[in-house]
Amino acid sequence: MLFLKNKSKDYRFSSTLVLLLWLGLHTTYGQSTIVITQTQQMQLIGKQVLYYEDTTARLNLEDVRQPRVQQQFKPLNKDIFNQEPSQSVLWFKLIVQNKTGQDLWLETGDSFAYYIDFYRPNAEGKYTSPIKLGVLRPKENKLVASNFYYVPLSKSDSVQTYYLRKAGDFTHYHVFQAGTPQALHKHIKVYDYILAGFLGVILSLALYNLMLFYSTKDKIYLIYVVYLLYSFVNVPFNNGYALFEGSFWWQYFYVWSNPIFIVISLFVIHYLQLSIIAPRLCRWIQAITILLSGIFPLLNLFHYPHFVHTVMPYQLILMVYMCSLLGAGVYVWYQGFKNARFYVMGWFFAIASVFIHILALEGILPSHQLFHHSIYIGVSLEALLFALALGDRWNLLKKEKEVVQAENLRLVEQQNNLLAQKVEEKTKELQLAYEEVQTNNDALKITQEVVASRNELLAAQNDELSLYRTRIGQSFRAAQMIQVALLPPSESMTMAFADYFVFNRPKDVVSGDFYWLYTYKQTKVLVVADCTGHGVPGAFMTFIGNNLLDKIIKINGVTQPSKILSALNREVQMVFQQQGATKGYEGGMDAAVVAFTALPNQTTEVIFAGAKSNLWYISSPQHTLHEITGTRRSVGGFQPKGKKPYQTHRIELPPHSLLYLGSDGLPDQNNEQRHKFGSAQLKNILLQNAHLTLQVQKQRLAQALQQHMQDTEQRDDILWVGVKL
C-alpha cells in the first residue's frame, strides 16, 4: 500500500509536469509560421512577428527562451512596429520557412537602433554567437552595403526560429520584410533613387540660391542656402538614414540638429516681414525657437533628464512650431502680402508629408515606400516652392526699383529743363539790359536816334513778352496734362462705383486740389485733398501728395483711413522739414479719406476719417442728407504737440446710397456782394437733385455756381466728388 501511495504521488507529479510542458510548448510554438514564397519583391511579415518588451534590459537569449518569458510574447498584428522611445530592450521572435529555394534576407529596420543582436540556429538547431549590428557598433559588422540593417536567414525550407534583440533611445520603428537577394537589391535601389533625387534637388537649389546671393547681396538667400544644407543632412537622418558615423550624432541629437530652427525662423521672419506686419506673432515664433534651439540642446548636452523623457514634449512643441509657421504665412497672405502664397503652399506640403509619414507608421495607411519616405517628397516640394517665393520676391523688388529709377530720371529731366529755362531767361535779360544801355548811350548823342531806338526797343519788348507769354501758356498746359494724368482715370472710377461725378475747376490752369483712388481686393480707398495754395505751388503739392499716398497705401499696405492721415501727416512734415529746429515750408493739406468694403449682406461698410474735411451721404431709400464731421486738424504744417488724433467713423450703407466730399473752394466762393455760396446752399442743391444721375447732379451744381458768381473772379480751386454705391 505504501508503494502504491508513492506511485500515486509520482504519477500526479509527472502528470502536472507533462501538462506544464505541453502548455509551454503550445504557447511557444503556437505562432503561425512565416512562409516566404515571393522572389521578385520583399515580403511584409510584420503581422506574423511576436515581440516582448524587457523592461529590465538584462535578459539574454537563454532567459528569453524560458517558458515563463515565451508566454509573454505578443503578436504585432501590423506591418510596421512603432513604439515611443524607452530604455527597455525589445525582443522579436520569427518562425520562418523559406519556400523560395534561394538565399533569404531579413530587413530589421532603420539606423536608429543602437544595438541589434540577431540569433539564428545552426545546423544542429543551437544558437551560437549573434550577428551584432547597430549604430554604436563598428560599420564593418554590416553584411549589406546600406545604412539600413539586413541579416541572412536560412536557405533551407525547414521551419527555423529566429530571435532579434534591439536597444536604443530613439523611437523604435521597424518594417519587417524578407526577400531574396534579387528582391533586396531592387528594394535598396528604389530607396537609393529616392534619396539621390532628394539630395540632388537640395544641392541644385542651394547652388542656385548661392549664386543669387552673390548677385543681389540679399541676406535672405544666404539664410535659405544654410537651411537647404541643414536639410541635406537633417531630413535623411530623421527618416532613418544617417549620412555619417559616430555615436555623437545620436547621443547629442538636439545639440547639432536643433539649430536648424534658428535658420528657419530667420527666413520666415525676414521673408514675411513679421516684425512689421505681425509683431506679436513674430515674438511668439521667436519664443518657440528659443525653446527648441536653446533649452532642448542644453538638456541634451547635460543628459538631464534622459533623452527618452524629452521626446514627447519635443514632438508636441515641434508640431506647434510648424503650425505657427504655417499660420503666420496664412495671416500675412490674408493681410495682402501676395508673395506669401508660395510660402504657405511649401509649408502645407511639408506638414502634410509629416502627417502621411506618421499615418504610415501607425498602420492607418498601407505600408509603401512612397508613404514611408513621404518626407523627402514634402521637403523637396517645400524647397522648390520656397525658391519660387524668393524668385517672385526678387522680381517684385526689381520692378519696384525700375519704377523708382524711372521716376527719379523724370524728376531729374524736369529739373534740368527748368534750370535751362531759367538760364535762358537770365541770358536774355542781360542781353536786353546791354542793348538798353547801348541805346541810351546812342540817345545822348542824337535825340532822333534815341526816339527811334526806344520805339525799336518797345517793339522788341512786345515781341519778347508775347513769346514769353506763349511759353508760359505752353508750360502751364503741359503741367495741366501731367496733373490730369496723375488723377484716377474714368475707367477706374467706373469700375469702383455704380455711378460718380467729379466737379474739378482749378482757379488757374493747374490746381492745388486732387483726388486719389486705390482698389485692394474688396476694399476701395478714395481720397479728396485740398493742398495749401493754388496754381503752380498747389500743383507741386498735389504731386507730392499723390506720391506719398502711393507709398503709404500701395507699398506699405495701410488702408485704415485714420492711419492713412497720420502717416500722410508724418510724411508731409518730413518732406518739408517741419519737425526740426529749422522751419521749412509751412504747406500742408486738408483731406478726406474713405474706405469702402463690400459686406456679404450686399451692404457696404464705409470707414471715414477727415482732416478739416467732412463727409456727406444720403442713405437709400431715405431722402435725408447726413454729415460726418472730420477732425479739426490739417495734414502737415507746424502743429503743436498733443494734437488730438484723427478720428475714425464707421457706417454701413445699403446699395444706391450717395456720398459727397470735396474742398472748401465751392462753399467759400463769393459773388459780387461778397456773399459766400455756403454749405447750406450746397446741401440743398445736392438733396434736391439726389434722385437724378450723378452726371446731371454735376451739371446742376455747375449751373448754380455760375449763377452765383456771374462776373466775379474765382478765388480758390474747386473740387467735389460724388459717388453711388
Side-chain angles (χ1 to χ4, degrees), residues 691-706:
H691 63 286
L692 302 174
T693 65
L694 286 171
Q695 290 301 319
V696 176
Q697 293 184 38
K698 174 183 175 182
Q699 294 175 5
R700 298 289 175 86
L701 191 59
Q703 292 171 1
L705 177 62
Q706 187 64 31

Side-chain angles (χ1 to χ4, degrees), residues 512-514 526-532 561 565 568 588-594 607-616 626-635 644 646-649 660-665 667-668 679 683 719-721:
D513 295 350
F514 74 99
L526 177 63
V527 180
V528 176
D530 179 4
C531 299
T532 301
L565 289 176
L568 188 60
M589 63 184 72
D590 300 339
V593 183
V594 187
I607 304 176
F608 165 74
K612 284 191 175 181
S613 294
N614 303 334
L615 172 66
W616 297 348
H626 304 274
E627 180 178 7
I628 301 177
T629 305
T631 306
R632 304 308 299 169
R633 173 188 175 189
S634 294
V635 171
K644 60 182 179 180
Y646 300 104
Q647 187 176 1
T648 299
H649 304 272
Y660 305 95
L661 58 163
S663 64
D664 59 2
D668 289 347
S679 297
K683 291 179 181 178
L719 173 62
W720 272 83
V721 178

Side-chain angles (χ1 to χ4, degrees), residues 5 120 552:
K5 288 181 180 179
R120 63 176 185 171
I552 294 167

